[in-house]
């Protein structure tokens, strides 16, 4: 007997038929003798609809407030998960599984005060554990918790992955299964490269990079949490027949296991290729080369909540002026330019140039730590296809390359094949 947390995303609970299908997945694990807690998202599209309703209301928090009144935003958007948790509890009861729904505040899942993007701080799992020990399945509304002001808080879009991993950690679960509309984590996006392969295992660190660099399977924060608490997390499909052979295999269920790197015996040098669209490049020309310049530029950008990614600074030729280039999401360009205009006087630079519609392609693998030449291979392969590189950043386990948008697919396929990822 084991303790399992099962999380079902929006497409898996998109309508009543699918909710009944989810109930069969849960019943399978309960019948296998496991203690089960389930975490659900809102029905696909529901959260967007709720956010749209909030946005249709008069602004309360000022014209730049993203959430109007963030507390009421949370009260409204958290309702999607409340509905699916109740429906799934009924679906389970109807097939003979004892089940009860739980809202974040009932457990409680305590968060900080950052309404709209709250972080989980503490989960009291005792009542859920009591019930599971008596054979009752807990169906927990994802994406929400209780803030210190005693109000509902939501965890940021995609947050029910994080709810699931946090609950798995709090319940000391043996496994956290994230059921979604794909059957695992792939070497790259199969819509771009049909030869992409499903990984049987990927390390926490690699998954963190994949998620941060554009792979949309899991919320980044959920991977961080899984890494910190060493929660063995499976990404698997809810669309497979719940009772197909092997589905309840405890050690090797179908899907991708995200785990500690020690568990991965056959480590490849490169594990996957990720890409992020809609990147923009901003260049500051002839910036004064003296202490405090970067702080003077990137401090105000951070205060304006602009997510700066790659930063490239030249060594100045004459010791007095240099160029600084960095990237931001395309949607933030206007805001960034207006921040830069304000600091122009104090920082001192000649010109600002910006270009949108770029793509960042990243090569990821913990094997890079011990292998030389991984970056050179990428550069050569891209050069052979005539793809120009605008900027490069590297870390111990990844290389990110900024290129022009129209070359995105070619670059992904080229890199996928040059590292042998399409070979079985
Ligand atoms: N329903 C929320 C969203 O759409 C949370 C989630 O699905 O993870 O962002
Ligand atoms: Mg999701």
């Amino acid at each position: 007997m084991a303790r399992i947390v099962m999380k079902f995303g929006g497409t898996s609970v998109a309508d009543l038929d699918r909710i009944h299908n989810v109930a069969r997945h849960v019943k399978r694990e309960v019948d296998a003798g496991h203690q089960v807690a389930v975490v659900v998202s809102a029905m696909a599209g529901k959260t967007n609809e709720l956010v749209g309703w909030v946005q249709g209301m008069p602004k309360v928090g000022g014209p730049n407030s993203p959430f109007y009144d963030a507390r009421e935003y949370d009260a409204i958007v958290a309702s999607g998960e409340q509905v699916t948790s109740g429906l799934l509890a009924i679906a389970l009861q109807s097939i003979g599984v004892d089940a009860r729904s739980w809202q974040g505040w009932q457990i409680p899942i305590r968060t900080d005060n950052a309404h709209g993007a709250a972080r989980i701080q503490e989960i009291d799992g005792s009542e859920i554990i009591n019930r599971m020990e008596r054979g009752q399945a807990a169906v927990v509304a994802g994406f929400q918790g209780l803030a210190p002001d005693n109000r509902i808080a939501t965890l940021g879009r995609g947050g029910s992955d994080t709810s699931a991993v946090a609950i798995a950690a709090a319940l000391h679960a043996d496994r956290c299964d994230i059921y979604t509309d794909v059957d695992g984590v792939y070497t790259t996006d199969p819509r771009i490269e049909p030869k992409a392969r499903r990984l049987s295992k990927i390390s926490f660190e690699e998954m963190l990079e994949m998620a941060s660099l554009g792979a949309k399977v899991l919320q980044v924060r959920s991977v961080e949490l899984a890494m910190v608490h060493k929660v063995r997390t499976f990404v698997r499909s809810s669309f497979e027949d719940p009772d197909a052979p092997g589905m309840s295999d405890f050690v090797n269920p179908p899907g991708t296991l995200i785990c500690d790197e020690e568990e991965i015996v056959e480590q490849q040098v490169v594990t996957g290729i990720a890409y992020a669209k809609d990147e923009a490049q901003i260049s500051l020309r002839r910036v004064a080369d003296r202490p405090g310049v970067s702080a003077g530029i990137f401090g105000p950008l951070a205060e304006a909540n602009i997510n700066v990614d790659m930063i490239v600074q030249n060594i100045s030729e004459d010791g007095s002026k240099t160029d600084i280039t960095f990237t931001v999401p395309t949607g933030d360009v206007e805001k960034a330019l207006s921040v830069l205009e304000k600091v122009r006087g104090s920082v001192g630079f000649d010109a600002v140039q910006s270009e949108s519609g770029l793509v960042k392609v990243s090569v990821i693998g913990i094997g890079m730590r011990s292998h030389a030449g991984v970056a050179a291979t990428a550069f050569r392969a891209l050069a052979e296809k005539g793809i120009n590189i605008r900027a490069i950043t590297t870390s111990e386990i990844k290389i990110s390359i900024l290129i022009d948008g129209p070359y995105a697919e070619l670059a992904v396929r080229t890199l996928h094949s040059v590292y042998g990822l399409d070979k079985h």
Side-chain angles (χ1 to χ4, degrees):
M1 192 220 54
R3 188 172 287 165
I4 302 179
V5 171
M6 307 171 76
K7 183 260 169 177
F8 294 90
T11 50
S12 304
V13 295
D15 55 39
L16 295 184
D17 279 347
R18 290 193 184 168
I19 290 176
H20 283 292
N21 190 57
V22 163
R24 290 174 57 212
H25 281 287
V26 175
K27 180 172 165 47
R28 180 191 66 231
E29 303 295 351
V30 169
D31 288 349
H34 301 310
Q35 294 180 3
V36 176
V38 189
V39 176
V40 286
S41 291
M43 290 177 170
K46 193 69 202 173
T47 310
N48 286 344
E49 183 186 34
L50 296 167
V51 170
W53 287 349
V54 181
Q55 286 171 345
M57 297 299 285
K59 293 180 203 290
V60 176
N64 296 323
S65 158
F67 298 139
Y68 299 61
D69 181 311
R71 286 168 181 74
E72 301 312 338
Y73 166 95
D74 278 345
I76 296 158
V77 301
S79 66
E81 276 73 9
Q82 172 160 356
V83 172
T84 43
S85 60
L87 288 171
L88 180 57
I90 295 174
L92 284 165
Q93 291 165 12
S94 76
I95 53 173
V97 177
D98 184 13
R100 194 47 83 202
S101 70
W102 295 84
Q103 307 298 296
W105 62 266
Q106 289 170 303
I107 294 179
I109 296 172
R110 296 204 182 272
T111 71
D112 62 14
N113 227 338
H115 281 279
R119 281 179 175 266
I120 295 177
Q121 302 210 303
E122 208 191 318
I123 297 179
D124 178 355
S126 53
E127 184 58 21
I128 301 277
I129 291 176
N130 274 337
R131 305 265 187 133
M132 286 195 307
E133 283 171 349
R134 299 202 313 255
Q136 189 178 78
V139 185
V140 182
F143 183 50
Q144 53 167 271
L146 185 64
D149 59 7
N150 241 1
R151 297 200 152 268
I152 296 173
T154 61
L155 310 180
R157 297 305 304 272
S160 51
D161 294 333
T162 301
S163 308
V165 173
I167 287 167
L171 300 179
H172 308 288
D174 299 281
R175 230 172 61 199
C176 179
D177 288 1
I178 308 274
Y179 285 82
T180 178
D181 49 9
V182 291
D183 62 356
V185 180
Y186 278 69
T187 48
T188 195
D189 186 342
R191 286 168 305 183
I192 289 190
E193 174 51 278
K195 289 188 208 141
R197 284 179 304 116
R198 181 161 58 79
L199 295 158
S200 59
K201 290 181 181 173
I202 183 171
S203 71
F204 290 123
E205 273 185 284
E206 289 166 325
M207 190 63 224
L208 193 55
E209 294 286 4
M210 293 278 263
S212 324
L213 294 168
K216 297 210 170 52
V217 212
L218 290 174
Q219 198 199 33
V220 175
R221 212 181 275 175
S222 72
V223 186
E224 281 168 7
L225 212 58
M227 183 156 91
V228 170
H229 295 284
K230 297 210 182 296
V231 177
R232 302 176 85 243
T233 303
F234 275 91
V235 176
R236 53 189 298 189
S237 167
S238 68
F239 293 131
E240 272 160 52
D241 177 1
D243 303 309
M247 287 296 278
S248 60
D249 185 323
F250 184 71
V251 185
N252 276 316
T256 301
L257 172 61
I258 307 167
C259 60
D260 220 81
E261 63 182 89
E262 272 86 69
E263 261 196 70
I264 304 176
V265 196
E266 278 179 64
Q267 187 61 60
Q268 308 294 317
V269 178
V270 170
T271 302
I273 313 292
Y275 68 95
K277 285 188 172 153
D278 295 325
E279 301 276 318
Q281 172 183 314
I282 297 180
S283 296
L284 301 178
R285 300 295 175 203
R286 298 185 56 74
V287 186
D289 193 8
R290 55 172 168 76
V293 163
S294 290
I297 296 166
F298 297 110
L301 288 170
E303 275 157 37
N305 253 322
I306 295 168
N307 207 346
V308 173
D309 183 23
M310 308 169 103
I311 302 177
V312 185
Q313 183 185 329
N314 246 343
I315 308 285
S316 66
E317 205 175 55
D318 56 1
S320 74
K321 302 273 183 186
T322 183
D323 287 345
I324 296 181
T325 293
F326 57 91
T327 63
V328 299
T330 294
D332 281 349
V333 173
E334 291 306 315
K335 203 157 92 177
L337 293 179
S338 81
V339 170
L340 292 170
E341 226 22 77
K342 282 189 206 126
V343 302
R344 188 180 197 127
S346 54
V347 175
F349 46 82
D350 279 3
V352 191
Q353 291 159 347
S354 70
E355 205 166 325
S356 298
L358 308 179
V359 168
K360 182 178 65 170
V361 183
S362 305
V363 177
I364 298 151
I366 45 178
M368 275 184 217
R369 287 192 198 124
S370 49
H371 282 78
V374 180
T377 302
F379 303 152
R380 207 178 310 117
L382 295 176
E384 276 164 16
K385 301 284 179 189
I387 300 172
N388 188 38
I389 297 175
R390 290 172 165 265
I392 303 164
T393 56
T394 62
S395 80
E396 254 198 321
I397 68 162
K398 71 130 203 274
I399 306 154
S400 290
I401 301 170
L402 189 70
I403 59 170
D404 290 338
Y407 291 100
E409 306 198 348
L410 179 61
V412 166
R413 285 195 290 262
T414 301
L415 295 172
H416 192 262
S417 107
V418 78
Y419 296 108
L421 293 174
D422 42 12
K423 299 216 178 67
H424 287 263

